[in-house]
Amino acid sequence: MASSRRPIFFNNNKTGPIQVDTDLSIVRQFHEQLPNYSKTPLIPLDEVAKKLNVKSVFVKDESSRLGLPAFKILGASWGSCRAIIAKTGIPTDSPLDKIANAAQKEGIVLFTASAGNHGRALAAMARILGIQARIYVPRTVNDEAIHLISSEGAMVTVSKRDYDGAMKEAWNVASTTQGGLFVQDTAFEGYEDIPKWIVEGYSTLLSETEEQLKEQNLKADLIVTPVGVGSLAHAVVRHCKSEGRNCAVMSVEPDTAACLYQSMVAGKETPVITTKTTMEGMNCGTLSSTVFKDLQQGVDASATISDFESHEAIQYLAERSVNSGPCGGAALAALWRLADASSRPAWLAEDSIVVILNTEGLRGYEHPRDVSSDDPGRLTQVLTTINSSNPDLSEAAGAGETEIANYINAWLQHRGMESHWVESETGRPSIVGVLRGTGNGKTLMINGHIDTVSLSTHTSGDPLSGELRGDRIYGRGCLDMKAGVAAGMTALARISKSDTRPSGDVILAAVADEENLSKGTEAVLAAGWKADAAIITEPTLQEIVTSHKGFVWFEIDVLGVAAHGSLPEEGVDAILLAGYLQTALLDYAKTMPSDPRLGQASLHGGRIVGGEEPSSYPSICTLTVEFRTVPAQSPESIATDLEDLLSTVAQKVPKFKYNKPRMTFSRPPSGLPDDNSFVKSFISSVAKTLGDAPSPTGKAFWCDAGLLNGVGIPSIVYGPKGEGLHAREEWVSASSIRQVADVLETAIRDFCI
């Protein structure tokens, strides 16, 4: 059985050497003018070499370059100064002080967009030149990165958009600002010279490395480089594939921002939508427009890694006194991936010399969660540790679904599966993962909500512990319903790494807001995601639920007359009159219709509001009533019944007045007949997996099956065993989660044909 993670891409379409027309020695000479210039160290990693079974591995440590904790100053300095030279018309070989004088005289202001290191480097260069810098950062950048850029004297603007959007903002403002000069390492149509100069600036790093190896009578056979927009990787390829060199190049990107990897696989430039990553300097969805041709020609292998793998590499390097941040740890993580590859490339031999580029020093970042596990119990534990409490359910602050959506998205992309971010309401995202079949089969959706009720109601232990004790996993939402989501994720992973795939597609819909208004499933359906059938993995104690009740909310105003409490002849008490309504509703509830599988419909008073203060007659009392409905009912039929009921009360009770009942929200009941083909198929899958299958049943709760059935997607509810839904202590059975995952895997294979 093959691995479930995204494979390393080995490039078999390389052409030949790359022609470099620029004399890069002038770049090195320029850098040597900068304050405190010195070569950065080349540090041996003997243990890594032994694991990789090569002669030597070195890390080129850029954690301290010209007073900054990253290599970016090499490109920012040369790129900005060449741009100033071009703008002011001074000679190309002008010394640094002359460039500074020209920039000051011209009133130049440097602009760029950055997730951290490039912006800080450009700000530092502006400080050296005695001019201003304005840096735009994407919305995902953390406060520490913003502070560090500001500390160099730059003005920082936080964009509401991603990296590409922030770059467009910076470009537009620079174009309309007197003396504005946009210095970006991303090329696009009409903007190519400055990014080219930035790439040239990085050549100093590579010429130093070559000299340092030559001092030991060595030369590099492989260089591993991180990739963002591709500028550093472009410099590496141009160095490794020119002037008679034939050094292999391996690129590395975050799983969630793999624009080069996807472009290499597709054979053409392919932008991607990115999400949060600790490797912020590599969180780029579009390659610089001038780099792909050379990268396609010169990159020998392309890999992607998780944030957690980068974190592990940082820790390893720290133990060996190498100071590294998330982007810097990426190259070592990629090399470890290469060591574990099933087949060894011809260019990696026992006598090879490998250099990895540590592109930044240690900086603050959130410690990431591991996305490598396919075990449903372990996944349940991880998901339970993430606070995804619904912000609209109670007065307690809810975290929303963004963090858990980021995790599931990263988990999917780590395996090379499609992942789509659906966010119709800001801060309330859902994730749609897709495992494509071989073609022409039926599509099955596995639907589960990722929000939970308030953490404050889980009062027994840490609500985010995810602790495993015996066969039980504890924590808010572990049962309702992160275990069901985890089982669906596991089933997808198993299918993805199996030798045979079904014909049809499998969709994982990890949706927001089911605990309140089901905005997540509504948004997924509105985005166009459909299936031939669906399984909702709510906790049914492994019963096969084919029908459930709906619900309707009505507000009813009972009207009184406001007056001072001492004037009963003038006042009419709406609160006390509402008691007649409540009594009538209790009697009405006894007459509500029944369903053979769901039992009798029900109602209850959910909320009552009335009065201003004890000393006054209340003019209005509003009762909110929830009706749990069966298929024989509809919101319209209930509204008619309520109007008849209110009219009857008014005829019997003097002064009883009311407003027409208002329906505020409703969800339909759901049901499939026993002879439905999907019901039969699923029962067969359960029996095949577990040896027996329970008969279909109905439940009083409501879930998103009602929405899916309502748009013609036959839906069954089936999930694990446990106790404590919305209660003080919630737990789920780990063995039951595994059984549910097994059933889902079988159901996929049986149905998606």
Side-chain angles (χ1 to χ4, degrees):
M1 186 176 285
S3 170
S4 66
R5 74 169 300 174
R6 181 185 281 153
I8 297 173
F9 176 81
F10 290 102
N11 186 10
N12 297 317
N13 298 311
K14 302 185 298 297
T15 52
I18 293 172
Q19 187 67 34
V20 178
D21 299 323
T22 306
D23 179 8
L24 297 177
S25 64
I26 62 171
V27 179
R28 177 76 172 272
Q29 293 168 12
F30 166 80
H31 284 139
E32 290 173 349
Q33 299 179 65
L34 296 176
N36 302 315
Y37 168 80
S38 63
K39 295 180 186 177
T40 55
L42 189 69
I43 302 169
L45 298 175
D46 295 336
E47 292 176 2
V48 178
K50 185 176 181 180
K51 179 178 180 179
L52 197 62
N53 193 26
V54 296
K55 183 175 181 179
S56 298
V57 173
F58 296 91
V59 55
K60 178 64 169 171
D61 184 10
E62 294 291 310
S63 61
S64 180
R65 168 69 78 172
L66 293 167
L68 294 177
F71 76 104
K72 289 283 190 174
I73 186 67
L74 294 174
S77 59
W78 178 248
S80 59
C81 287
R82 282 291 283 114
I84 291 167
I85 288 168
K87 188 176 182 69
T88 60
I90 62 176
T92 302
D93 59 354
S94 296
L96 187 62
D97 58 351
K98 187 172 182 179
I99 297 172
N101 290 334
Q104 294 166 18
K105 185 177 180 180
E106 191 78 16
I108 288 175
V109 180
L110 301 181
F111 284 81
T112 197
S114 171
N117 288 324
H118 173 70
R120 186 179 180 187
L122 193 70
M125 197 61 208
R127 176 174 48 77
I128 291 170
L129 295 171
I131 59 177
Q132 295 180 354
R134 295 179 61 181
I135 314 299
Y136 284 70
V137 299
R139 61 176 183 265
T140 56
V141 169
N142 63 36
D143 291 340
E144 182 187 7
I146 294 171
H147 169 73
L148 291 172
I149 295 170
S150 301
S151 70
E152 300 293 341
M155 178 188 296
V156 179
T157 300
V158 180
S159 171
K160 295 180 179 179
R161 304 167 70 184
D162 60 8
Y163 175 84
D164 292 340
M167 186 174 66
K168 290 177 182 177
E169 287 184 42
W171 164 257
N172 290 335
V173 177
S175 301
T176 58
T177 298
Q178 181 71 29
L181 183 57
F182 184 64
V183 181
Q184 194 71 39
D185 53 359
T186 304
F188 48 86
E189 186 175 353
Y191 183 78
E192 296 177 344
D193 287 341
I194 294 175
K196 179 186 71 175
W197 294 327
I198 290 174
V199 170
E200 290 177 356
Y202 299 147
S203 66
T204 292
L205 182 160
L206 296 156
S207 67
E208 287 179 3
T209 302
E210 191 167 59
E211 287 179 5
Q212 290 166 315
L213 287 173
K214 192 173 182 180
E215 291 168 1
Q216 303 178 56
N217 296 316
L218 301 173
K219 66 175 182 177
D221 297 294
L222 169 65
I223 295 181
V224 186
T225 177
V227 177
V229 296
S231 297
L232 175 61
H234 195 195
V236 172
V237 164
R238 283 162 59 90
H239 175 85
C240 291
K241 307 296 183 179
S242 66
E243 299 182 9
R245 304 181 191 92
N246 189 26
C247 176
V249 176
M250 182 178 187
S251 66
V252 57
E253 298 167 279
D255 287 330
T256 56
C259 55
L260 175 60
Y261 181 96
Q262 298 291 12
S263 298
M264 296 286 284
V265 171
K268 61 180 180 180
E269 293 183 58
T270 305
V272 299
I273 296 173
T274 69
T275 52
K276 184 178 179 181
T277 172
T278 58
M279 295 171 272
E280 291 176 340
M282 300 157 68
N283 193 12
C284 308
T286 306
L287 290 171
S288 179
S289 65
T290 56
V291 305
F292 182 61
K293 181 179 178 182
D294 283 349
L295 295 182
Q296 186 181 35
Q297 181 177 334
V299 170
D300 297 84
S302 178
T304 73
I305 61 164
S306 69
D307 288 0
F308 187 76
E309 289 172 306
S310 169
H311 173 66
E312 288 188 312
I314 291 168
Q315 293 180 307
Y316 180 91
L317 290 170
E319 291 170 358
R320 285 142 189 87
S321 301
V322 178
N323 182 12
S324 179
C327 294
L332 177 56
L335 192 59
W336 282 340
R337 283 220 58 203
L338 188 61
D340 294 334
S342 56
S343 60
R344 193 177 185 89
W347 38 261
L348 191 65
E350 291 184 3
D351 60 349
S352 293
I353 307 299
V354 179
V355 176
I356 61 175
L357 304 184
N358 174 32
T359 54
E360 67 173 355
L362 183 64
R363 57 176 173 80
Y365 64 94
E366 294 179 13
H367 285 195
R369 294 177 172 88
D370 189 2
V371 295
S372 66
S373 179
D374 294 340
D375 177 77
R378 179 58 189 150
L379 280 171
T380 299
Q381 290 183 269
V382 173
L383 295 178
T384 303
T385 66
I386 302 173
N387 183 359
S388 58
S389 50
N390 193 308
D392 295 334
L393 282 180
S394 70
E395 294 181 1
E401 298 87 356
T402 299
E403 185 178 355
I404 195 169
N406 273 319
Y407 179 85
I408 295 171
N409 170 68
W411 185 93
L412 289 164
Q413 297 218 37
H414 188 65
R415 288 153 181 78
M417 296 185 206
E418 285 183 41
S419 183
H420 303 267
W421 190 279
V422 180
E423 189 172 2
S424 59
E425 180 178 323
T426 301
R428 308 303 303 279
S430 300
I431 296 295
V432 176
V434 185
L435 179 64
R436 296 293 178 183
T438 58
N440 301 319
K442 289 182 287 188
T443 298
L444 181 65
M445 176 186 289
I446 298 173
N447 179 291
H449 67 83
I450 53 177
D451 63 321
T452 74
V453 294
S454 172
L455 301 186
S456 63
T457 57
H458 193 289
T459 57
S460 177
D462 179 3
L464 298 176
S465 72
E467 181 184 2
L468 175 65
R469 300 201 302 265
D471 186 50
R472 296 180 178 184
I473 297 169
Y474 290 85
R476 174 57 72 225
C478 64
L479 178 63
D480 186 19
M481 60 172 294
K482 292 177 178 180
V485 174
M489 293 164 68
T490 294
L492 256 69
R494 290 176 182 173
I495 298 290
S496 73
K497 64 184 179 183
S498 68
D499 295 330
T500 58
R501 283 205 183 179
S503 300
D505 298 341
V506 187
I507 298 172
L508 175 73
V511 297
D513 194 52
E514 191 275 346
E515 293 287 4
N516 189 34
L517 301 179
S518 293
K519 297 173 184 175
T521 290
E522 284 189 329
V524 167
L525 293 172
W529 293 101
K530 298 292 188 293
D532 295 298
I535 302 169
I536 293 82
T537 53
E538 289 274 8
T540 65
L541 309 182
Q542 291 187 244
E543 292 184 276
I544 299 173
V545 176
T546 56
S547 58
H548 65 65
K549 289 183 178 180
F551 66 92
V552 186
W553 297 341
F554 275 95
E555 287 182 350
I556 308 169
D557 297 331
V558 177
L559 304 178
V561 177
H564 193 277
S566 65
L567 301 172
E569 67 278 7
E570 296 181 12
V572 176
D573 193 328
I575 291 177
L576 294 182
L577 286 173
Y580 291 102
L581 170 61
Q582 294 169 52
T583 300
L585 286 169
L586 287 171
D587 291 336
Y588 170 73
K590 300 173 185 177
T591 70
M592 293 174 73
S594 293
D595 179 84
R597 182 159 281 166
L598 297 174
Q600 188 178 28
S602 64
L603 65 83
H604 70 275
R607 191 165 182 258
I608 188 166
V609 179
E612 298 292 336
E613 65 273 324
S615 62
S616 298
Y617 277 81
S619 63
I620 188 169
C621 179
T622 300
L623 182 65
T624 301
V625 184
E626 179 182 76
F627 295 81
R628 290 286 170 162
T629 60
V630 297
Q633 297 171 290
S634 68
E636 293 75 20
S637 70
I638 292 173
T640 299
D641 287 350
L642 283 176
E643 290 176 19
D644 291 344
L645 182 149
L646 288 162
S647 176
T648 300
V649 173
Q651 291 172 14
K652 295 179 179 179
V653 180
K655 298 184 179 180
F656 184 88
K657 294 183 180 180
Y658 58 90
N659 288 327
K660 184 176 181 178
R662 300 181 299 277
M663 186 190 74
T664 59
F665 194 70
S666 71
R667 289 300 188 205
S670 177
L672 295 176
D674 289 355
D675 61 355
N676 177 274
S677 60
F678 179 55
V679 172
K680 291 180 177 180
S681 173
F682 186 75
I683 292 172
S684 173
S685 297
V686 174
K688 184 188 301 184
T689 307
L690 304 180
D692 192 16
S695 299
T697 188
K699 292 292 181 182
F701 62 67
W702 189 89
C703 73
D704 283 353
L707 290 178
L708 297 171
N709 270 320
V711 296
I713 302 175
S715 300
I716 289 171
V717 190
Y718 181 81
K721 300 175 182 178
E723 291 182 4
L725 278 75
H726 302 198
R728 65 178 298 274
E729 182 176 72
E730 184 175 352
W731 62 266
V732 62
S733 163
S735 57
S736 177
I737 305 170
R738 289 191 288 272
Q739 288 187 347
V740 171
D742 293 344
V743 167
L744 294 177
E745 182 183 1
T746 304
I748 291 168
R749 294 194 181 281
D750 290 347
F751 184 77
C752 298
I753 56 175

